[in-house]
Amino acid sequence: MKAFFTSLGSRRAYAAGVLFWAYFVNGLALIMLGALLPDLRAAYRLDYQRSGLLLSVQSVGFLLIGLLTGVLAVKLGLKRAYLLLFSFGTIGLCMLLTSGAPRWLLAAMFFIGLTKGAVTDYHNRIISDYAHGSAQPLNLLHACFAVGACLAPIVVLACKQAAGADGWRLALLLSIALHLSVLALGAFMRLDPVQPRSADAARSSFGFLRERLFWQTTAIGFFYQAIEASFVGWLTSYFLSLGVMSEGAAQLVTAVLWVSLLCGRFACALAARRFPPFQMILAMCVGILVCLCALLRSHTLPTLLLSTIGLGLCMSGMYGTSVANAGDTFSRYPVCMGLFVTLIALGATFAPTAVGALAGAADDMRLGMSVLLAAAVPLLAAAVLNARYFRARRD
C-alpha cells in the first residue's frame, strides 16, 4: 500500500486517498441498508416482494449510470461528474428518513444506486489506471469497502442501543454525515482530464466487443453480482427467518461475513503477487458454489456461521480480480469499463427481486435464497472457460 501511494506523487496520492475513503463510506452505507432492511420493512410495512424491489431498483440506478459516466466525465470534467453523482447517494439516504411512500422509497434507492454505480465505475477506472494493471491496489480498494461493510452491522446495533426504536434513523444520519465528508474532501481533488474522442477514435473504442476476454469477464461479473447483491441485501432477513438467532446475533453474523470479506481481500492482494487472476477466479468460484450449498442446507448456528465465513472468503476478491482479469482491455478501451459495469449490474438488478418474489410466494426465505444456485452454477462454468482461454494463450 505504501509503495503504491509513494509511486503516485502528491496530487494523485491525495486523490487516491479520497477514493479509498469514499469506498469505505460507500461500503458502510450500502451494507447498513441491508442490515436496516428489517427495520425499514417494519417501519414502512413492506412485504418481501416490495423489499426485494427496493434492492433491485438500487441496481437499476447502478446499471443506468454506467451508460452516462463516460459522457459526464467528458462534458463536466471527471471531478465534477464524480462529485455530482456521489451527491445523489446523500440525497437518497435523506429521502429514506422522510417518508415510506412506495414511489418515494423507490426513488431514494434509485439515487443510492446511481452513486453506487458511479463509485464503482470511476474508482475502478482511476485506480486501475494508477495501478498499471496490477490487481493488488484494486483488491486493497475493495478491502476499504469491506472495512466499512463489516463495521455497518456493529454501527447499527450501537445506534439501536443509543436511540432505541429510532436507532435506524440515527444510523442513516451517521451515514449521511460520512457522505458529506467525502464531498468536502473531494472538492480538493485534482483528477486527470478525460479528453473527448474523434469520430474515428470513438468507432475504434468499441473494438473490445469483439474480444472474447471481455465477454467471459462480463459473464463472471454478471453472475457474481447476482449472488452478491442478493446475499448481502437479504442476509439479515434470511437469518431472522430461520428462527435460530436473535436480531442482534443476526447483525453480528452479518458483521462476521464482512470481516471474512475483509480478510479475504487482503489475502487476495497478497495472492495476486503469485497467482494470475484467472486461477484466483476459478478457485473462488468453486468455493462460492460449495459454501452456498452448505449455507442453504444449514439448520444450526455453527454451520450457518462457518458457511457464511467461507462464502465471504470466496467472494472477497471476485470484483477486483475480475477487473484485473481483463485489465489490458479496460486500459485500451476507455468506454469498456462503463459498459462492463452496466452489463454486470443486470445480474444485481433481477436477482434480489427474484429472491423476494419466490420467498413471498412460498412464504419461505430459504426457498427464495435458493435462486442463487441458479447463478452460482453458470458462474463456475464461466470461470472454467476463462481459465481454459488463458491456458490456451500460454500454449
Side-chain angles (χ1 to χ4, degrees):
M1 174 73 84
K2 182 178 179 181
F4 169 66
F5 277 92
T6 303
S7 68
L8 297 179
S10 59
R11 178 177 65 84
R12 284 190 166 190
Y14 178 82
V18 174
L19 297 180
F20 274 64
W21 169 247
Y23 231 51
F24 165 81
V25 171
N26 202 42
L28 181 71
L30 291 176
I31 306 310
M32 191 179 287
L33 289 177
L36 293 175
L37 187 58
D39 298 278
L40 290 172
R41 288 180 58 222
Y44 297 138
R45 299 179 182 178
L46 304 174
D47 57 21
Y48 278 130
Q49 189 167 359
R50 287 185 180 179
S51 301
L53 187 59
L54 287 179
L55 295 174
S56 285
V57 80
Q58 181 189 132
S59 296
V60 171
F62 180 96
L63 184 156
L64 292 178
I65 200 61
L67 301 173
L68 300 176
T69 50
V71 175
L72 290 175
V74 172
K75 297 294 184 182
L76 302 178
L78 184 55
K79 174 182 167 180
R80 289 179 182 176
Y82 173 76
L83 293 178
L84 172 65
L85 295 177
F86 195 90
S87 68
F88 277 102
T90 312
I91 295 170
L93 291 170
C94 292
M95 291 172 68
L96 290 178
L97 288 170
T98 57
S99 174
R103 292 183 180 178
W104 184 262
L105 291 176
L106 289 173
M109 295 299 281
F110 178 77
F111 285 163
I112 292 169
L114 291 179
T115 292
K116 179 183 177 182
V119 166
T120 301
D121 186 324
Y122 288 142
H123 283 222
N124 283 281
R125 184 189 305 184
I126 294 169
I127 298 301
S128 180
D129 180 50
Y130 288 0
H132 303 293
S134 171
Q136 186 179 22
L138 286 168
N139 276 306
L140 291 174
L141 175 70
H142 288 269
C144 290
F145 184 99
V147 171
C150 68
L151 290 176
I154 299 172
V155 171
V156 169
L157 285 176
C159 289
K160 288 183 177 181
Q161 289 181 352
D166 289 328
W168 67 275
R169 295 182 181 275
L170 178 60
L172 286 178
L173 285 171
L174 176 60
S175 182
I176 291 167
L178 291 174
H179 271 68
L180 291 174
S181 75
V182 172
L183 293 173
L185 292 170
F188 299 97
M189 284 192 305
R190 291 173 57 196
L191 299 175
D192 298 331
V194 178
Q195 300 296 332
R197 292 174 170 265
S198 65
D200 291 339
R203 283 192 293 271
S204 65
S205 68
F206 286 92
F208 64 88
L209 294 174
R210 297 188 297 272
E211 295 193 13
R212 176 181 167 185
L213 179 58
F214 169 75
W215 290 110
Q216 60 198 26
T217 304
T218 299
I220 291 168
F222 175 89
F223 292 115
Y224 168 69
Q225 284 287 305
I227 295 170
E228 184 192 63
S230 302
F231 184 67
V232 170
W234 282 113
L235 184 60
T236 303
S237 300
Y238 175 65
F239 287 150
L240 292 176
S241 73
L242 297 179
V244 297
M245 62 184 75
S246 65
E247 180 180 353
Q251 298 284 11
L252 290 176
V253 172
T254 303
V256 167
L257 166 67
W258 285 99
V259 170
S260 64
L261 279 164
L262 174 63
C263 294
R265 284 173 180 171
F266 282 120
C268 285
L270 295 175
R273 299 178 178 179
R274 183 173 180 181
F275 300 102
F278 77 88
Q279 291 181 349
M280 296 171 62
I281 289 171
L282 182 59
M284 287 186 285
C285 289
V286 171
I288 287 172
L289 180 58
V290 171
C291 293
L292 189 57
C293 290
L295 181 76
L296 293 174
R297 293 177 61 86
S298 298
H299 295 276
T300 63
L301 183 56
T303 53
L304 283 170
L305 186 61
L306 288 174
S307 54
T308 298
I309 292 172
L311 196 54
L313 290 172
C314 294
M315 291 196 305
S316 59
M318 279 295 296
Y319 196 101
T321 308
S322 295
V323 172
N325 186 67
D328 179 62
T329 303
F330 291 131
S331 297
R332 287 185 289 115
Y333 301 102
V335 180
C336 187
M337 180 62 77
L339 185 59
F340 173 75
V341 170
T342 299
L343 292 176
I344 67 172
L346 289 171
T349 299
F350 296 116
T353 296
V355 170
L358 184 56
D363 195 24
D364 185 350
M365 195 64 207
R366 189 187 296 272
L367 183 61
M369 290 291 278
S370 67
V371 168
L372 302 187
L373 290 175
V377 172
L379 172 64
L380 178 57
V384 170
L385 291 175
N386 184 64
R388 291 180 61 185
Y389 168 81
F390 277 99
R391 285 169 181 156
R393 286 210 318 187
R394 284 182 172 182
D395 299 339

